[in-house]
């Protein structure tokens, strides 16, 4: 159950950009906030909050920051975020799916549309790209924290569809409907997870020449820089040539 994941390369590039911008904590705090609003401040009775805390710890967010975020979200004056998504196309027909957590939907719509327009893309109607992406559970586990030989069958029984190893991490993929089962199984096995979330994985990718691809990635990066944006997914093929060009920048 292993193989090369084109999406892993996309996510690695995205992760590098996130680290450079220092935006990870902001995204995590928003996720903690919406989890508390949805299910209360007790992680034992709130699976979404438990997952948000787990991801925050995986990104080395200090315990005080996590507790402060939970307390603030549970207060009467807490900011109220809504989840909104946008779908559109970059140049050369590359599909782009944007997930936001925002306290002002009109601002987000205006900002996302402006970014698409600035970089030669176009915003579409919601649902127009649903056939191009599958929602999958993606779990990242430090390779030192798991003995695959001992637990592989248990993980498959819990819904694992694919297992890969990259950059010192084991990556587990599950169907969206098996996400909760697999997360609970990892908890039961006392396997510490660096991150776990639902991602939109492209069914098929599209290859462009390096110059055209870099123009698409400028749109993606501009979207990721927006304060309301949590995640950006696309179906651009990250070729070896493109990866080399990005690393040489």
């Amino acid at each position: 159950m292993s193989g090369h994941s084109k999406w892993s390369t996309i996510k690695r590039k995205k992760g590098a950009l996130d680290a450079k911008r220092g935006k990870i904590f902001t995204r995590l705090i928003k996720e903690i906030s919406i989890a508390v609003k949805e299910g209360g401040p007790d992680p034992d009775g709130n699976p979404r909050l438990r997952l948000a805390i787990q991801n925050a710890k995986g990104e080395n967010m200090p315990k005080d920051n996590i507790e402060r975020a939970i307390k603030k979200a549970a207060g009467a004056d807490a900011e109220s975020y809504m989840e909104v998504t946008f779908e559109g196309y970059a140049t050369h027909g590359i599909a782009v799916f944007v997930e936001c957590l925002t306290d002002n939907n009109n601002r987000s719509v205006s900002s996302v549309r402006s970014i698409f327009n600035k970089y030669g893309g176009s915003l579409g109607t919601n649902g127009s790209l649903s056939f191009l992406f599958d929602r999958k559970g993606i779990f990242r586990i430090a390779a030192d924290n798991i003995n695959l030989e001992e637990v592989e069958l248990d993980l498959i029984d819990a819904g694992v569809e694919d297992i890969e190893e990259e950059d010192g991490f084991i990556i587990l993929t599950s169907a969206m409907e098996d996400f909760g089962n697999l997360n609970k199984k990892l908890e039961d096995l006392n396997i510490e997870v660096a991150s776990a979330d639902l991602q939109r994985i492209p069914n098929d990718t599209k290859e462009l020449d390096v110059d055209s691809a870099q123009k698409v990635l400028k749109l993606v990066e501009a979207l990721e820089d927006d304060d309301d944006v949590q995640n950006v997914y696309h179906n651009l093929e990250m070729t070896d040539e493109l990866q080399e060009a990005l690393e040489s920048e």
Side-chain angles (χ1 to χ4, degrees), residues 138-149:
I138 306 293
F139 297 79
R140 290 172 67 250
I141 302 165
D144 294 343
N145 290 340
I146 185 171
N147 185 329
L148 271 180
E149 288 185 7

Side-chain angles (χ1 to χ4, degrees), residues 104-231:
N104 186 325
N105 187 54
N106 289 337
R107 180 188 66 223
S108 298
V109 172
S110 175
S111 180
V112 169
R113 179 181 289 117
S114 173
I115 292 169
F116 269 94
N117 291 341
K118 180 178 178 180
Y119 290 93
S122 59
L123 205 53
T125 56
N126 274 6
S128 59
L129 299 184
S130 56
F131 68 98
L132 287 176
F133 294 88
D134 283 335
R135 293 201 82 188
K136 297 284 188 181
I138 306 293
F139 297 79
R140 290 172 67 250
I141 302 165
D144 294 343
N145 290 340
I146 185 171
N147 185 329
L148 271 180
E149 288 185 7
E150 290 183 359
V151 300
E152 187 168 3
L153 289 178
D154 285 331
L155 297 179
I156 292 170
D157 286 343
V160 164
E161 295 180 341
D162 191 46
I163 301 174
E164 298 177 69
E165 185 167 358
E166 63 172 44
D167 297 340
F169 286 91
I170 301 296
I171 313 298
L172 308 179
T173 302
S174 76
M176 181 175 71
E177 54 268 25
D178 291 323
F179 180 80
N181 289 337
L182 183 53
N183 197 48
K184 186 174 187 308
K185 174 59 70 174
L186 290 166
E187 286 182 1
D188 292 344
L189 293 169
N190 293 317
I191 295 172
E192 186 177 339
V193 176
S195 68
D197 55 5
L198 287 168
Q199 299 178 13
R200 299 179 193 272
I201 309 301
N203 292 317
D204 194 22
T205 54
K206 188 171 182 178
E207 186 173 331
L208 299 178
D209 63 81
V210 170
D211 286 345
S212 299
Q214 286 180 312
K215 290 175 183 175
V216 171
L217 291 178
K218 286 188 186 303
L219 164 65
V220 172
E221 187 169 352
L223 287 166
E224 289 181 335
D225 274 334
D226 187 271
D227 288 341
D228 292 337
V229 172
Q230 290 288 98
N231 296 294

Side-chain angles (χ1 to χ4, degrees), residues 39-98:
D42 180 9
D44 290 336
N46 185 341
R48 182 168 182 174
L49 177 58
R50 193 160 64 246
L51 186 62
I53 293 171
Q54 174 182 300
N55 287 339
K57 289 179 177 177
E59 293 291 353
N60 298 314
M61 181 183 282
K63 184 180 178 182
D64 287 350
N65 292 39
I66 296 172
E67 291 176 350
R68 199 157 49 239
I70 294 170
K71 186 176 180 180
K72 183 178 179 182
D77 59 344
E79 292 172 292
S80 182
Y81 295 107
M82 66 187 85
E83 297 174 283
V84 293
T85 61
F86 301 95
E87 300 166 46
Y89 285 94
T91 55
H92 305 286
I94 298 297
V96 181
F97 201 113
V98 185

